[in-house]
Amino acid sequence: EAGVAQSPRYKIIEKRQSVAFWCNPISGHATLYWYQQILGQGPKLLIQFQNNGVVDDSQLPKDRFSAERLKGVDSTLKIQPAKLEDSAVYLCASSLDRGTARTGELFFGEGSRLTVL
Amino acid sequence: KQEVTQIPAALSVPEGENLVLNCSFTDSAIYNLQWFRQDHGKGLTSLLLIQSSQREQTSGRLNASLDKSSGRSTLYIAASQPGDSATYLCAVRGNYGQNFVFGPGTRLSVLP
């Protein structure tokens, strides 16, 4: 079974530029998450989708971050304009959760490491 | 608000030793708890998932226990190997639709 796919693996940009990350979850997984992980810390949730609807985006800095999950499969996370403090690893995860069937186990991709200069 | 801590932040042991990693959480109303491994520069790999009704889960040399009343989970690694060197994170999911809250991780080094 293919895992969660993410690209690009690495990205270096200057502040105020824009960047986009892509994620394809495990086939059949209804729920998709984007996390931000700063060096030395645990992942912090940015946004959760169930199918193509947003369930939780309370911690997403909406003035500069946006995300979409068209057709309920793959997803894109965009940052525009980037700030120095956005340097982090952006992790995509998926789970089987569907409605009230919360099997709950999270599966992560390899992450996209962003460096903002 | 759920808070998750992991102590120690780093641990170094000789190969072959049995070891315990700790995870503490402040709100005992949890749905489940998941342990992950993260190799340097990589994503998180799921190790064990414990539902709130379970007391422990085992996979190979790994055993995770859960004590909701005390807000604690432990990950036991038997006969540690250099290949076990990684950061181990726990994540807790609340009962009321809350998402996983992650601890900061314990960085483990197993010396040959």
mmCIF file of all heavy atoms in Angstrom, chain B residues 1-6 22-33 35 65-74 90-93 101:
data_model
loop_
_atom_site.group_PDB
_atom_site.id
_atom_site.type_symbol
_atom_site.label_atom_id
_atom_site.label_comp_id
_atom_site.label_asym_id
_atom_site.label_seq_id
_atom_site.Cartn_x
_atom_site.Cartn_y
_atom_site.Cartn_z
ATOM 1 N N LYS B 1 -7.296 22.947 28.154
ATOM 2 C CA LYS B 1 -6.512 22.689 26.953
ATOM 3 C C LYS B 1 -5.491 21.590 27.257
ATOM 4 O O LYS B 1 -4.763 21.667 28.226
ATOM 5 C CB LYS B 1 -5.794 23.974 26.531
ATOM 6 C CG LYS B 1 -4.913 23.798 25.304
ATOM 7 C CD LYS B 1 -4.148 25.083 25.024
ATOM 8 C CE LYS B 1 -3.109 24.862 23.945
ATOM 9 N NZ LYS B 1 -2.265 26.056 23.742
ATOM 10 N N GLN B 2 -5.455 20.585 26.403
ATOM 11 C CA GLN B 2 -4.549 19.456 26.610
ATOM 12 C C GLN B 2 -3.095 19.872 26.406
ATOM 13 O O GLN B 2 -2.773 20.587 25.448
ATOM 14 C CB GLN B 2 -4.899 18.354 25.604
ATOM 15 C CG GLN B 2 -4.060 17.090 25.666
ATOM 16 C CD GLN B 2 -4.383 16.229 26.865
ATOM 17 O OE1 GLN B 2 -3.780 16.409 27.915
ATOM 18 N NE2 GLN B 2 -5.292 15.267 26.717
ATOM 19 N N GLU B 3 -2.244 19.464 27.336
ATOM 20 C CA GLU B 3 -0.808 19.670 27.195
ATOM 21 C C GLU B 3 -0.106 18.334 27.352
ATOM 22 O O GLU B 3 -0.468 17.527 28.221
ATOM 23 C CB GLU B 3 -0.303 20.664 28.239
ATOM 24 C CG GLU B 3 -0.829 22.078 28.011
ATOM 25 C CD GLU B 3 -0.260 23.083 28.995
ATOM 26 O OE1 GLU B 3 0.605 22.697 29.796
ATOM 27 O OE2 GLU B 3 -0.691 24.242 28.966
ATOM 28 N N VAL B 4 0.877 18.102 26.503
ATOM 29 C CA VAL B 4 1.604 16.831 26.498
ATOM 30 C C VAL B 4 3.084 17.114 26.706
ATOM 31 O O VAL B 4 3.661 17.962 26.018
ATOM 32 C CB VAL B 4 1.388 16.076 25.173
ATOM 33 C CG1 VAL B 4 2.132 14.737 25.184
ATOM 34 C CG2 VAL B 4 -0.099 15.845 24.925
ATOM 35 N N THR B 5 3.675 16.414 27.655
ATOM 36 C CA THR B 5 5.105 16.575 27.926
ATOM 37 C C THR B 5 5.805 15.232 27.833
ATOM 38 O O THR B 5 5.184 14.177 28.073
ATOM 39 C CB THR B 5 5.356 17.187 29.314
ATOM 40 O OG1 THR B 5 4.699 16.377 30.303
ATOM 41 C CG2 THR B 5 4.806 18.603 29.396
ATOM 42 N N GLN B 6 7.076 15.278 27.485
ATOM 43 C CA GLN B 6 7.877 14.061 27.422
ATOM 44 C C GLN B 6 9.208 14.332 28.097
ATOM 45 O O GLN B 6 9.919 15.266 27.732
ATOM 46 C CB GLN B 6 8.098 13.629 25.966
ATOM 47 C CG GLN B 6 6.812 13.153 25.288
ATOM 48 C CD GLN B 6 7.064 12.673 23.877
ATOM 49 O OE1 GLN B 6 6.661 13.319 22.904
ATOM 50 N NE2 GLN B 6 7.720 11.525 23.764
ATOM 51 N N ASN B 22 8.787 8.232 28.596
ATOM 52 C CA ASN B 22 7.590 8.692 29.280
ATOM 53 C C ASN B 22 6.825 9.765 28.510
ATOM 54 O O ASN B 22 7.427 10.602 27.836
ATOM 55 C CB ASN B 22 7.977 9.272 30.651
ATOM 56 C CG ASN B 22 8.581 8.230 31.555
ATOM 57 O OD1 ASN B 22 7.941 7.259 31.910
ATOM 58 N ND2 ASN B 22 9.841 8.429 31.914
ATOM 59 N N CYS B 23 5.510 9.722 28.655
ATOM 60 C CA CYS B 23 4.628 10.710 28.045
ATOM 61 C C CYS B 23 3.560 11.052 29.084
ATOM 62 O O CYS B 23 2.915 10.145 29.625
ATOM 63 C CB CYS B 23 3.988 10.121 26.795
ATOM 64 S SG CYS B 23 2.678 11.118 26.041
ATOM 65 N N SER B 24 3.406 12.351 29.382
ATOM 66 C CA SER B 24 2.398 12.789 30.347
ATOM 67 C C SER B 24 1.432 13.760 29.684
ATOM 68 O O SER B 24 1.849 14.577 28.849
ATOM 69 C CB SER B 24 3.069 13.491 31.534
ATOM 70 O OG SER B 24 3.915 12.596 32.220
ATOM 71 N N PHE B 25 0.151 13.663 30.065
ATOM 72 C CA PHE B 25 -0.856 14.556 29.504
ATOM 73 C C PHE B 25 -1.746 15.070 30.625
ATOM 74 O O PHE B 25 -1.932 14.403 31.651
ATOM 75 C CB PHE B 25 -1.685 13.866 28.409
ATOM 76 C CG PHE B 25 -2.168 12.485 28.746
ATOM 77 C CD1 PHE B 25 -3.427 12.286 29.294
ATOM 78 C CD2 PHE B 25 -1.365 11.379 28.492
ATOM 79 C CE1 PHE B 25 -3.887 11.011 29.589
ATOM 80 C CE2 PHE B 25 -1.811 10.098 28.798
ATOM 81 C CZ PHE B 25 -3.072 9.913 29.349
ATOM 82 N N THR B 26 -2.296 16.274 30.431
ATOM 83 C CA THR B 26 -2.987 16.964 31.518
ATOM 84 C C THR B 26 -4.477 16.637 31.593
ATOM 85 O O THR B 26 -5.059 16.704 32.664
ATOM 86 C CB THR B 26 -2.812 18.479 31.368
ATOM 87 O OG1 THR B 26 -3.247 18.878 30.064
ATOM 88 C CG2 THR B 26 -1.353 18.884 31.568
ATOM 89 N N ASP B 27 -5.095 16.290 30.482
ATOM 90 C CA ASP B 27 -6.536 16.008 30.457
ATOM 91 C C ASP B 27 -6.740 14.512 30.209
ATOM 92 O O ASP B 27 -6.370 13.998 29.159
ATOM 93 C CB ASP B 27 -7.202 16.828 29.353
ATOM 94 C CG ASP B 27 -8.722 16.694 29.346
ATOM 95 O OD1 ASP B 27 -9.260 15.816 30.048
ATOM 96 O OD2 ASP B 27 -9.365 17.482 28.629
ATOM 97 N N SER B 28 -7.334 13.819 31.176
ATOM 98 C CA SER B 28 -7.467 12.362 31.072
ATOM 99 C C SER B 28 -8.614 11.916 30.161
ATOM 100 O O SER B 28 -8.770 10.726 29.895
ATOM 101 C CB SER B 28 -7.671 11.767 32.465
ATOM 102 O OG SER B 28 -8.862 12.264 33.033
ATOM 103 N N ALA B 29 -9.420 12.857 29.676
ATOM 104 C CA ALA B 29 -10.540 12.509 28.786
ATOM 105 C C ALA B 29 -10.018 12.330 27.357
ATOM 106 O O ALA B 29 -10.276 13.163 26.485
ATOM 107 C CB ALA B 29 -11.611 13.603 28.837
ATOM 108 N N ILE B 30 -9.305 11.227 27.165
ATOM 109 C CA ILE B 30 -8.695 11.010 25.857
ATOM 110 C C ILE B 30 -9.423 9.917 25.096
ATOM 111 O O ILE B 30 -10.039 9.020 25.689
ATOM 112 C CB ILE B 30 -7.193 10.663 25.976
ATOM 113 C CG1 ILE B 30 -6.995 9.287 26.624
ATOM 114 C CG2 ILE B 30 -6.453 11.756 26.736
ATOM 115 C CD1 ILE B 30 -5.565 8.791 26.512
ATOM 116 N N TYR B 31 -9.330 9.991 23.771
ATOM 117 C CA TYR B 31 -9.925 8.989 22.894
ATOM 118 C C TYR B 31 -8.904 7.899 22.578
ATOM 119 O O TYR B 31 -9.203 6.720 22.589
ATOM 120 C CB TYR B 31 -10.406 9.663 21.614
ATOM 121 C CG TYR B 31 -11.126 8.759 20.654
ATOM 122 C CD1 TYR B 31 -12.458 8.415 20.873
ATOM 123 C CD2 TYR B 31 -10.485 8.258 19.526
ATOM 124 C CE1 TYR B 31 -13.130 7.584 19.982
ATOM 125 C CE2 TYR B 31 -11.150 7.430 18.647
ATOM 126 C CZ TYR B 31 -12.472 7.112 18.871
ATOM 127 O OH TYR B 31 -13.122 6.277 18.002
ATOM 128 N N ASN B 32 -7.690 8.332 22.257
ATOM 129 C CA ASN B 32 -6.600 7.384 22.070
ATOM 130 C C ASN B 32 -5.258 8.096 22.171
ATOM 131 O O ASN B 32 -5.197 9.332 22.303
ATOM 132 C CB ASN B 32 -6.720 6.606 20.743
ATOM 133 C CG ASN B 32 -6.820 7.509 19.529
ATOM 134 O OD1 ASN B 32 -6.293 8.607 19.522
ATOM 135 N ND2 ASN B 32 -7.495 7.040 18.493
ATOM 136 N N LEU B 33 -4.190 7.314 22.158
ATOM 137 C CA LEU B 33 -2.839 7.852 22.251
ATOM 138 C C LEU B 33 -1.982 7.077 21.261
ATOM 139 O O LEU B 33 -2.096 5.853 21.151
ATOM 140 C CB LEU B 33 -2.303 7.698 23.683
ATOM 141 C CG LEU B 33 -0.906 8.244 23.981
ATOM 142 C CD1 LEU B 33 -0.842 8.750 25.434
ATOM 143 C CD2 LEU B 33 0.191 7.241 23.739
ATOM 144 N N TRP B 35 2.016 6.494 19.621
ATOM 145 C CA TRP B 35 3.459 6.682 19.678
ATOM 146 C C TRP B 35 4.016 6.644 18.253
ATOM 147 O O TRP B 35 3.619 5.801 17.436
ATOM 148 C CB TRP B 35 4.119 5.589 20.512
ATOM 149 C CG TRP B 35 3.995 5.795 21.992
ATOM 150 C CD1 TRP B 35 3.045 5.292 22.833
ATOM 151 C CD2 TRP B 35 4.899 6.551 22.811
ATOM 152 N NE1 TRP B 35 3.285 5.697 24.122
ATOM 153 C CE2 TRP B 35 4.419 6.464 24.143
ATOM 154 C CE3 TRP B 35 6.056 7.294 22.569
ATOM 155 C CZ2 TRP B 35 5.054 7.086 25.225
ATOM 156 C CZ3 TRP B 35 6.692 7.905 23.637
ATOM 157 C CH2 TRP B 35 6.198 7.803 24.939
ATOM 158 N N SER B 65 2.120 1.326 27.335
ATOM 159 C CA SER B 65 1.074 1.224 28.343
ATOM 160 C C SER B 65 0.372 2.563 28.485
ATOM 161 O O SER B 65 0.932 3.614 28.139
ATOM 162 C CB SER B 65 1.664 0.798 29.679
ATOM 163 O OG SER B 65 2.484 1.827 30.182
ATOM 164 N N LEU B 66 -0.857 2.500 28.985
ATOM 165 C CA LEU B 66 -1.655 3.719 29.166
ATOM 166 C C LEU B 66 -2.332 3.685 30.524
ATOM 167 O O LEU B 66 -2.997 2.705 30.871
ATOM 168 C CB LEU B 66 -2.717 3.819 28.069
ATOM 169 C CG LEU B 66 -3.726 4.969 28.188
ATOM 170 C CD1 LEU B 66 -3.014 6.320 28.089
ATOM 171 C CD2 LEU B 66 -4.801 4.857 27.123
ATOM 172 N N ASP B 67 -2.158 4.757 31.299
ATOM 173 C CA ASP B 67 -2.852 4.938 32.569
ATOM 174 C C ASP B 67 -3.538 6.284 32.504
ATOM 175 O O ASP B 67 -2.930 7.329 32.785
ATOM 176 C CB ASP B 67 -1.861 4.876 33.728
ATOM 177 C CG ASP B 67 -2.555 4.981 35.078
ATOM 178 O OD1 ASP B 67 -3.732 5.380 35.126
ATOM 179 O OD2 ASP B 67 -1.919 4.664 36.101
ATOM 180 N N LYS B 68 -4.818 6.272 32.093
ATOM 181 C CA LYS B 68 -5.531 7.534 31.902
ATOM 182 C C LYS B 68 -5.674 8.311 33.189
ATOM 183 O O LYS B 68 -5.567 9.531 33.211
ATOM 184 C CB LYS B 68 -6.924 7.261 31.324
ATOM 185 C CG LYS B 68 -6.945 6.902 29.876
ATOM 186 C CD LYS B 68 -8.346 7.007 29.295
ATOM 187 C CE LYS B 68 -9.357 6.214 30.096
ATOM 188 N NZ LYS B 68 -10.734 6.360 29.545
ATOM 189 N N SER B 69 -5.945 7.603 34.299
ATOM 190 C CA SER B 69 -6.226 8.294 35.553
ATOM 191 C C SER B 69 -5.041 9.120 36.022
ATOM 192 O O SER B 69 -5.215 10.183 36.626
ATOM 193 C CB SER B 69 -6.628 7.289 36.631
ATOM 194 O OG SER B 69 -5.580 6.371 36.856
ATOM 195 N N SER B 70 -3.845 8.650 35.731
ATOM 196 C CA SER B 70 -2.657 9.400 36.136
ATOM 197 C C SER B 70 -2.101 10.257 35.004
ATOM 198 O O SER B 70 -1.111 10.965 35.185
ATOM 199 C CB SER B 70 -1.567 8.456 36.639
ATOM 200 O OG SER B 70 -1.094 7.644 35.586
ATOM 201 N N GLY B 71 -2.715 10.175 33.836
ATOM 202 C CA GLY B 71 -2.275 10.985 32.703
ATOM 203 C C GLY B 71 -0.909 10.595 32.190
ATOM 204 O O GLY B 71 -0.080 11.468 31.885
ATOM 205 N N ARG B 72 -0.673 9.285 32.089
ATOM 206 C CA ARG B 72 0.652 8.840 31.692
ATOM 207 C C ARG B 72 0.597 7.686 30.698
ATOM 208 O O ARG B 72 -0.284 6.829 30.750
ATOM 209 C CB ARG B 72 1.454 8.386 32.897
ATOM 210 C CG ARG B 72 1.861 9.484 33.847
ATOM 211 C CD ARG B 72 2.828 8.931 34.880
ATOM 212 N NE ARG B 72 4.036 8.395 34.245
ATOM 213 C CZ ARG B 72 4.906 7.610 34.871
ATOM 214 N NH1 ARG B 72 4.698 7.245 36.120
ATOM 215 N NH2 ARG B 72 5.968 7.179 34.239
ATOM 216 N N SER B 73 1.579 7.682 29.806
ATOM 217 C CA SER B 73 1.833 6.537 28.950
ATOM 218 C C SER B 73 3.333 6.300 28.936
ATOM 219 O O SER B 73 4.124 7.247 29.023
ATOM 220 C CB SER B 73 1.336 6.786 27.526
ATOM 221 O OG SER B 73 1.676 5.712 26.667
ATOM 222 N N THR B 74 3.723 5.044 28.856
ATOM 223 C CA THR B 74 5.136 4.715 28.735
ATOM 224 C C THR B 74 5.349 3.835 27.513
ATOM 225 O O THR B 74 4.500 3.022 27.166
ATOM 226 C CB THR B 74 5.666 3.984 29.982
ATOM 227 O OG1 THR B 74 4.933 2.770 30.154
ATOM 228 C CG2 THR B 74 5.512 4.835 31.228
ATOM 229 N N CYS B 90 4.930 11.169 21.394
ATOM 230 C CA CYS B 90 3.594 10.673 21.678
ATOM 231 C C CYS B 90 2.592 11.754 21.304
ATOM 232 O O CYS B 90 2.908 12.949 21.314
ATOM 233 C CB CYS B 90 3.438 10.252 23.127
ATOM 234 S SG CYS B 90 3.502 11.610 24.306
ATOM 235 N N ALA B 91 1.383 11.337 20.971
ATOM 236 C CA ALA B 91 0.317 12.269 20.605
ATOM 237 C C ALA B 91 -0.978 11.768 21.220
ATOM 238 O O ALA B 91 -1.276 10.571 21.189
ATOM 239 C CB ALA B 91 0.192 12.383 19.088
ATOM 240 N N VAL B 92 -1.752 12.692 21.764
ATOM 241 C CA VAL B 92 -2.973 12.364 22.473
ATOM 242 C C VAL B 92 -4.159 12.993 21.760
ATOM 243 O O VAL B 92 -4.107 14.174 21.375
ATOM 244 C CB VAL B 92 -2.895 12.891 23.924
ATOM 245 C CG1 VAL B 92 -4.204 12.660 24.642
ATOM 246 C CG2 VAL B 92 -1.753 12.231 24.664
ATOM 247 N N ARG B 93 -5.220 12.204 21.602
ATOM 248 C CA ARG B 93 -6.440 12.713 20.968
ATOM 249 C C ARG B 93 -7.554 12.763 22.000
ATOM 250 O O ARG B 93 -7.786 11.774 22.707
ATOM 251 C CB ARG B 93 -6.850 11.813 19.821
ATOM 252 C CG ARG B 93 -7.980 12.374 18.966
ATOM 253 C CD ARG B 93 -8.188 11.524 17.754
ATOM 254 N NE ARG B 93 -8.844 12.258 16.687
ATOM 255 C CZ ARG B 93 -9.057 11.771 15.484
ATOM 256 N NH1 ARG B 93 -8.654 10.565 15.172
ATOM 257 N NH2 ARG B 93 -9.670 12.493 14.564
ATOM 258 N N VAL B 101 -2.775 16.159 20.000
ATOM 259 C CA VAL B 101 -1.810 17.106 20.545
ATOM 260 C C VAL B 101 -0.522 16.340 20.764
ATOM 261 O O VAL B 101 -0.522 15.280 21.411
ATOM 262 C CB VAL B 101 -2.295 17.720 21.871
ATOM 263 C CG1 VAL B 101 -1.220 18.626 22.470
ATOM 264 C CG2 VAL B 101 -3.586 18.499 21.649
#
